[in-house]
Amino acid sequence: MSQDAELFIQQLLAQMTLEEKIGQLHQVSPGGDFDLNLLQTGQVGSLFNADGALTGQGFSKSSSAEQINHLQQQALSARLHIPLIFGRDVIHGFRTIFPIPLAQAASFNPELAEQAAAATAREASATGIRWTFAPMLDIARDPRWGRVAEGNGEDPYLGAQMAAALVRGYQGDDLSAPDRIVACAKHYVGYGTAEGGRDYEGGEVSEPTLRDVYLPPFQAAVQAGVGTLMSAFIDLNGIPATANHHLLTEILRGEWGFDGFVVSDWESIKELIAHGVAEDEAHAARLALHAGVDMDMVSAVYHRTLADSLAKGLLPIEEVDQAVLRILRIKQRAGLFDQPFTDPQREKQDLLRPEARQLAREFARQSIVLLKNQANLLPLQGIRRLLVTGPFLRARAELFGTWTPDGRGEDVTPLDEGLRQHTPRTTELWFADSTDMALHMAHHSDAILLLLGEHPVRSGENGNVSDLRLPPGQSEFLAALAELGKPIVLVIFAGRPLALEKEIPLANAVLYTWHPGIEGAAALAEILFGEAAPSGRLPITFPRRTGQVPIYYNHKNSGRPVGSSDLFITRYSDLLPRPLFPFGYGLTYTQFSYNDLRLSSSTLRKQLQVQCTLTNCGTRPGSEVVQLYLHDRVGSLTRPVRELKGFQRVTLQPGESQIVTFTLTEEQLAFTRSDGSHGAEPGWFNVWVAPDSSSGLHAEFRYEG
Ligand code: BGC
């Protein structure tokens, strides 16, 4: 940060009254009864869902930018003219809705995520929003948890790559550019450990696992310059994350040097009372502020209690000052002091641009995962009559997925329409809206396209399920159709891995589309008929049955690991000890072979090159996500059986080969030990270059230390 900017905010702080300081820490999501006087007297630092503030005040709803500018005007009329920062949950697109974050991770393409975030920033900022509560970076090992849809899956390396890319996309190189927005890495941290996948439930995690699995995406976001973080709802290891000084101050600020601000989650400061660590609101406020939460989202306990706590000498003013400075710093960096208003013209030009829709389509194409393709049924060819049925047949907004407050169903081409546009003339489409109709028409069709899955409300915040199977009735529908013996292409729309042990064998081909966004229908149609090929990979392990979770690829070996000859191994007596589909898995319309794995040396000193030759040995062009995995055979702490350390998306023509090279560094061998130290330990390592986390070419090397 430039010295001038730092001086500017210091001087501003020096002029502020206590009320104005506390005002900066106060974030409001206004309802119709919102008192504009709070803005005019400098008692609010940030608004989100700002349109609520003007409800009932006769203000035109036609332009968000005008409303936001009007509110900004009120705030600037206050004594010190400090601008508001307007926030919003802009999670995977604003009007142009991109695939859900879990699907974005399935693309294994951080560059695309960066471009999508940049397009999203342009749209959101055109309406006056300058701060998004994204990216959500919670590692999730339990798909019962609804919020698995909002994150990047189970892997810390993939999560960190996506985190950095998303922050770059939202914020750009210059946060003050009018078409960029401040990002917010959330929910710091360990939110995904919620027991049983029940949202808001507590979790327990060891410090080494916290540091090596849950923290890396957040650290990557901080290194990429993220402006803000959000503290999680969770009680982690007995200390709610919103009151955790170790996490919010020692690690985040002390170790990582973060100089932006932290906002609480919705009322999470007040919730410290329910958690049982604070006796009242004033106590909750002091705990959170001391821990390092600078802005209070919605609960208003800073607003109501901090002045009194200060007067009683229960709180040092330095803690308030520090929080104010951090907030002013980000407002300054976002250019709000120089440019507090948004040009209302932009709203007309910057929403739903054709380029953004194209990007959404490309992202959907790359995030759809082909799970099965018996006898190359896909892409569909030579089908005269294709029966299309299932609950997603007329889906529009249902394609968006969770957290899309600004998406509009009417912007979406529905699936039936999307299919019509991309189906070859030689194929007749028959649509059946009910199971009865489908069963009747199926007899006369050549193949069936069955669109099943879960509605977006079943995933996302508090969209937890105790049963990972398809919603009631869907599996039975598939079974009834399967009895007719026609080829079936099963398409699953979902915000999480579903347990499809029974369904996969009943279908000839299976595409997992997640909730694919505004262009999902077109992308799916292109893939079905071969205009595009699927290339997504699973960013999270798919269990066979619900009872198998948590199940994740980077687990530790037990003393009696799967694969050992003993009967008494780590397993269930009623289930194969393997996932249905492993992390990293995904097929395409061609085949790739991996050959000639070579290491630049048998010993890693500082770094090592790992190379293999990838060949497209099929008959169609295609993209492969080549993955690099590592296993430390002996450590002072037990080590995961595999850890992803690199990936590359490679596109090859039929018959074409390419040498794929990864560089492994000493740092990539390192882990956190039980005493908190971090480093690589000498010994033997296994390395794989692989198409997924359960296979691949294997070699070994030594690290001498
Ligand atoms: C969610 C956050 C979200 C916030 C504001 C909370 O309930 O946990 O992810 O950003 O609400 O809408």
Side-chain angles (χ1 to χ4, degrees):
M1 166 145 216
S2 81
Q3 281 182 348
D4 283 356
E6 205 57 28
L7 194 64
F8 168 74
I9 60 170
Q10 293 277 2
Q11 284 173 347
L12 190 54
L13 180 77
Q15 298 170 54
M16 291 169 82
T17 63
L18 181 58
E19 191 180 52
E20 286 162 347
K21 288 179 182 176
I22 294 172
Q24 286 306 304
L25 317 187
H26 183 201
Q27 187 187 45
V28 181
S29 171
D33 56 351
F34 181 66
D35 180 4
L36 290 182
N37 187 47
L38 284 172
L39 302 183
Q40 293 149 359
T41 51
Q43 292 187 69
V44 176
S46 168
L47 288 180
F48 75 113
N49 304 332
D51 46 348
L54 297 167
T55 314
Q57 303 200 20
F59 208 85
S60 150
K61 288 286 260 177
S62 61
S63 160
S64 301
E66 276 172 18
Q67 290 185 46
I68 284 183
N69 284 344
H70 178 74
L71 292 162
Q72 188 69 291
Q73 191 82 60
Q74 307 300 306
L76 292 173
S77 72
R79 198 179 69 94
L80 291 173
H81 320 297
I82 302 175
L84 294 164
I85 182 163
F86 291 90
R88 183 97 170 151
D89 287 286
V90 185
I91 306 299
H92 52 109
F94 185 75
R95 273 287 289 282
T96 306
I97 303 295
F98 293 92
I100 55 167
L102 187 60
Q104 296 193 14
S107 74
F108 278 70
N109 192 340
E111 287 98 66
L112 216 45
E114 180 174 342
Q115 290 170 33
T120 301
R122 181 164 172 177
E123 288 196 348
S125 61
T127 72
I129 292 160
R130 292 304 306 280
W131 181 22
T132 175
F133 305 134
M136 195 278 214
L137 302 178
D138 296 304
I139 296 294
R141 292 173 158 182
D142 190 336
R144 289 174 296 181
W145 190 47
R147 302 200 85 164
V148 71
E150 291 177 61
N152 297 305
E154 73 189 26
D155 184 65
Y157 178 82
L158 176 60
Q161 303 297 309
M162 294 298 288
L166 289 161
V167 170
R168 284 194 302 268
Y170 287 125
Q171 299 194 163
D173 299 330
D174 175 8
L175 202 44
S176 71
D179 59 352
R180 299 293 181 161
I181 57 180
V182 180
C184 180
K186 73 184 188 185
H187 306 82
Y188 188 77
V189 61
Y191 191 26
T193 66
E195 268 178 19
R198 292 181 299 275
D199 214 355
Y200 320 125
E201 189 72 270
E204 297 258 346
V205 65
S206 72
E207 182 86 7
T209 303
L210 179 69
R211 286 187 176 266
D212 294 348
V213 177
Y214 292 90
L215 284 174
F218 288 93
Q219 188 172 13
V222 170
Q223 280 167 354
V226 74
T228 69
L229 275 85
M230 185 185 292
S231 70
F233 284 128
I234 196 166
D235 161 6
L236 190 68
N237 300 337
I239 306 178
T242 296
N244 197 316
H245 187 265
H246 174 58
L247 297 173
L248 290 166
T249 296
E250 288 167 27
I251 295 181
L252 179 61
R253 270 90 181 212
E255 293 180 28
W256 300 349
F258 174 66
D259 71 352
F261 74 87
V262 173
V263 63
S264 75
D265 202 345
W266 183 283
E267 293 200 327
S268 69
I269 301 181
K270 196 167 157 187
E271 288 177 10
L272 297 177
I273 303 171
H275 278 297
V277 293
E279 58 193 19
D280 56 20
E281 288 193 350
H283 189 197
R286 290 197 303 275
L287 280 177
L289 188 68
H290 175 70
V293 178
D294 306 299
M295 189 179 274
D296 173 3
M297 181 187 278
V298 177
S299 71
V301 297
Y302 281 1
H303 174 71
R304 283 199 290 270
T305 69
L306 286 184
D308 193 44
S309 290
L310 278 160
K312 289 182 179 145
L314 296 170
L315 180 75
I317 184 69
E318 290 74 22
E319 287 188 0
V320 175
D321 285 354
Q322 200 176 40
V324 175
L325 277 179
R326 290 169 180 156
I327 292 165
L328 294 179
R329 186 177 291 136
I330 294 304
K331 288 186 175 181
Q332 195 283 334
R333 224 171 262 175
L336 288 167
F337 286 96
D338 298 327
Q339 248 180 346
F341 299 110
T342 300
D343 173 3
Q345 291 308 316
R346 281 190 51 207
E347 221 170 345
K348 299 194 186 82
Q349 302 149 13
D350 281 357
L351 301 189
L352 289 177
R353 289 160 55 246
E355 298 89 326
R357 290 193 79 123
Q358 272 310 317
L359 192 58
R361 184 169 315 183
E362 182 57 21
F363 219 165
R365 284 185 197 122
Q366 294 198 22
S367 63
I368 292 174
V369 185
L370 177 64
L371 293 176
K372 177 176 179 181
N373 197 13
Q374 205 173 28
N376 292 330
L377 175 60
L378 291 176
L380 291 170
Q381 277 167 340
I383 306 283
R384 269 204 318 136
R385 283 171 299 214
L386 178 67
L387 174 68
V388 191
T389 189
F392 276 79
L393 177 57
R394 314 279 176 196
R396 279 180 187 261
E398 296 83 353
L399 299 180
F400 286 162
T402 184
W403 276 119
T404 53
D406 300 290
R408 296 191 190 164
E410 70 260 27
D411 297 338
V412 186
T413 311
L415 268 169
D416 54 350
E417 187 52 42
L419 286 168
R420 261 189 216 108
Q421 289 169 8
H422 292 271
T423 304
R425 278 210 205 95
T426 46
T427 303
E428 222 179 288
L429 290 174
W430 290 1
F431 297 114
D433 281 288
S434 69
T435 49
D436 292 358
M437 262 172 82
L439 286 165
H440 174 74
M441 292 160 81
H443 286 284
H444 310 283
S445 67
D446 303 310
I448 302 166
L449 176 61
L450 181 56
L451 309 166
L452 302 181
E454 58 178 6
H455 191 278
V457 296
R458 201 168 174 264
S459 61
E461 185 170 352
N462 213 20
N464 321 314
V465 292
S466 65
D467 185 344
L468 288 168
R469 287 176 301 179
L470 284 163
Q474 296 193 15
S475 191
E476 291 78 356
F477 186 22
L478 166 63
L481 287 171
E483 297 228 332
L484 306 179
K486 305 281 176 171
I488 296 180
V489 179
L490 175 61
V491 178
I492 305 278
F493 298 85
R496 56 161 56 82
L498 292 171
L500 300 169
E501 190 188 27
K502 284 213 183 93
E503 292 76 10
I504 299 288
L506 297 181
N508 303 73
V510 183
L511 284 165
Y512 213 82
T513 58
W514 319 96
H515 290 130
I518 192 167
E519 289 289 324
L524 173 63
E526 289 175 1
I527 284 178
L528 285 167
F529 296 105
E531 272 177 66
S535 59
R537 298 304 176 100
L538 299 180
I540 183 162
T541 302
F542 272 44
R544 290 171 185 274
R545 285 186 218 156
T546 311
Q548 206 177 17
V549 303
I551 180 169
Y552 44 93
Y553 87 95
N554 49 356
H555 64 91
K556 309 285 190 74
N557 254 339
S558 73
R560 298 178 178 196
V562 175
S564 51
S565 54
D566 208 306
L567 262 183
F568 290 85
I569 59 162
T570 308
R571 65 178 177 93
Y572 295 105
S573 58
D574 58 351
L575 200 59
L576 274 177
R578 282 190 300 278
L580 189 58
F581 296 106
F583 173 89
Y585 178 83
L587 304 169
T588 184
Y589 292 158
T590 189
Q591 287 80 43
F592 289 92
S593 69
Y594 289 66
N595 294 296
D596 306 327
L597 181 63
R598 283 184 304 273
L599 307 187
S600 57
S601 161
S602 55
T603 307
L604 186 148
R605 295 182 190 83
K606 301 270 177 256
Q607 60 178 47
L608 182 79
Q609 258 77 47
V610 183
Q611 266 188 358
C612 100
T613 306
L614 180 76
T615 304
N616 179 346
C617 50
T619 54
R620 304 175 69 99
S623 297
E624 174 79 351
V625 178
V626 182
Q627 300 157 43
L628 178 77
Y629 291 95
L630 199 72
H631 171 226
D632 183 350
R633 286 193 198 160
V634 179
S636 59
L637 269 189
T638 54
R639 310 301 311 126
V641 295
R642 278 199 191 198
E643 292 175 280
L644 184 71
K645 296 293 173 182
F647 58 82
Q648 289 178 39
R649 245 179 183 272
V650 183
T651 302
L652 297 178
Q653 296 303 312
E656 198 187 349
S657 291
Q658 186 176 313
I659 293 177
V660 181
T661 307
F662 293 96
T663 302
L664 259 179
T665 64
E666 208 174 339
E667 176 52 30
Q668 285 173 299
L669 314 185
F671 63 95
T672 305
R673 305 188 187 92
S674 58
D675 64 1
S677 63
H678 181 86
E681 295 183 351
W684 283 100
F685 287 77
N686 294 319
V687 61
W688 295 264
V689 176
D692 62 58
S693 62
S694 70
S695 59
L697 297 179
H698 168 254
E700 56 188 23
F701 65 88
R702 270 193 78 77
Y703 170 66
E704 301 291 353

